[in-house]
Amino acid sequence: MAKKKTPRLVRGVFVTFEGIDGSGKTTQARLLYESLKREGWPVILLREPGGTRVAEKLRRILLQEETEPVAPRAEILLYVASRAQLIEQKIKPALKAKKLVICDRYIDSTTAYQAYGRGFDPLWVERLNRWGSSEVLPDLTFFIDVPVPVGLARKKGKHLDRLEREGEHFEKKVYRGYHRLAKKHRRICIMDGTPTPLEVAEKVKTVMDAYLKRAEK
Ligand code: TYD
């Protein structure tokens, strides 16, 4: 039997996963990464905030208990800074090398959490995002959609980071923000995150395969 050809991309492809806390997007990002890897795609998996030495330091400031509260303006700039570092160090080189980059959270997290959650102007935050990311925008974004009570129930009893301790009212604002973003940007694909992880993963893979087929042409 002829050996299957290693799949190749004609250009870099950038895929992001988004969702509220407890949506299961980290699991979905990993499952998609593993299945593409098995098929031989040149794929890498990254997460935000973090992913480089400098960005991991910023992650620690952002998510751990600090000796003083992180001011909302400092918070948004730190997320954007962490991302700018990840883009220069990892995302740009990988896209240039025609890889498929999967990132667990990206610019939409900043709009959902810092604009819709914290109350900064969404249009301004989207502009800041474009600037901070040097216009490196995702080709495809999976918004793993679970209602806030489901997300909170999944997190119950687990260690919560600084943002996750904000509670239900905050998560609801973030959730509504994601839906607004999904209405605005065609690249955002809403995936029902309530079935089992493997069922969700299968649907995500179907959308990804269709995208890759189109991208080959
Ligand atoms: P993380 O441990 O990656 O959580 P999760 O597994 O839920 O993604 O922590 C990321 C936290 O940071 C999460 O609560 C969302 C928040 N966040 C923002 O508020 N703004 C951002 O721009 C990003 C990237 C994350």
Side-chain angles (χ1 to χ4, degrees):
M1 210 165 72
K3 204 169 163 247
K4 233 178 147 192
K5 248 177 57 195
T6 312
R8 281 232 192 131
L9 293 166
V10 291
R11 59 170 175 89
V13 173
F14 188 21
V15 178
T16 59
F17 278 82
E18 295 284 353
I20 58 164
D21 298 297
S23 60
K25 61 168 181 44
T26 302
T27 306
Q28 290 308 323
R30 188 177 44 79
L31 288 173
L32 179 65
Y33 166 77
E34 284 167 0
S35 100
L36 290 168
K37 185 107 203 146
R38 268 197 306 275
E39 291 172 4
W41 292 95
V43 57
I44 65 164
L45 177 63
L46 302 168
R47 71 150 182 200
E48 266 216 47
T52 81
R53 264 189 258 174
V54 168
E56 285 296 327
K57 282 189 184 165
L58 298 175
R59 179 185 175 88
R60 253 171 273 145
I61 298 173
L62 280 162
L63 300 181
Q64 283 170 5
E65 198 58 76
E66 288 299 307
T67 45
E68 62 188 39
V70 180
R73 279 164 207 258
E75 179 184 90
I76 187 168
L77 294 172
L78 286 169
Y79 276 116
V80 174
S82 159
R83 179 171 311 126
Q85 191 67 15
L86 183 68
I87 288 165
E88 286 308 319
Q89 296 273 318
K90 300 269 172 84
I91 298 178
K92 271 189 187 169
L95 292 175
K96 210 170 156 217
K98 297 184 183 163
K99 290 194 179 161
L100 199 159
V101 179
I102 300 175
C103 196
D104 180 359
R105 294 199 183 281
Y106 197 63
I107 47 173
D108 301 317
S109 284
T110 309
T111 315
Y113 283 79
Q114 277 67 49
Y116 290 103
R118 292 274 187 240
F120 288 115
D121 173 16
L123 287 179
W124 180 80
V125 173
E126 288 212 86
R127 274 185 65 199
L128 176 68
N129 278 339
R130 290 186 89 97
W131 178 82
S133 63
S134 5
E135 305 262 346
V136 176
L137 303 175
D139 296 297
L140 181 62
T141 298
F142 292 105
F143 164 43
I144 309 297
D145 183 3
V146 300
V148 172
V150 174
L152 288 176
R154 287 183 186 169
K155 284 274 167 182
K156 217 171 177 183
K158 297 201 181 133
H159 172 77
L160 300 183
D161 66 46
R162 201 173 54 81
L163 271 288
E164 286 162 348
R165 284 196 294 272
E166 289 286 334
E168 186 165 359
H169 182 59
F170 181 76
E171 292 282 347
K172 279 194 171 145
K173 288 194 281 184
V174 172
Y175 179 77
R176 281 196 293 270
Y178 271 126
H179 274 281
R180 291 219 180 122
L181 280 169
K183 269 206 187 111
K184 185 168 167 191
H185 300 289
R186 279 190 56 205
R187 66 175 162 82
I188 302 181
C189 191
I190 305 178
M191 309 299 295
D192 178 9
T194 54
T196 66
L198 288 181
E199 282 169 320
V200 179
E202 214 168 282
K203 295 212 166 106
V204 166
K205 185 66 170 46
T206 306
V207 175
M208 187 75 241
D209 286 344
Y211 183 88
L212 288 171
K213 221 174 207 167
R214 277 200 311 275
E216 269 171 20
K217 285 180 191 146

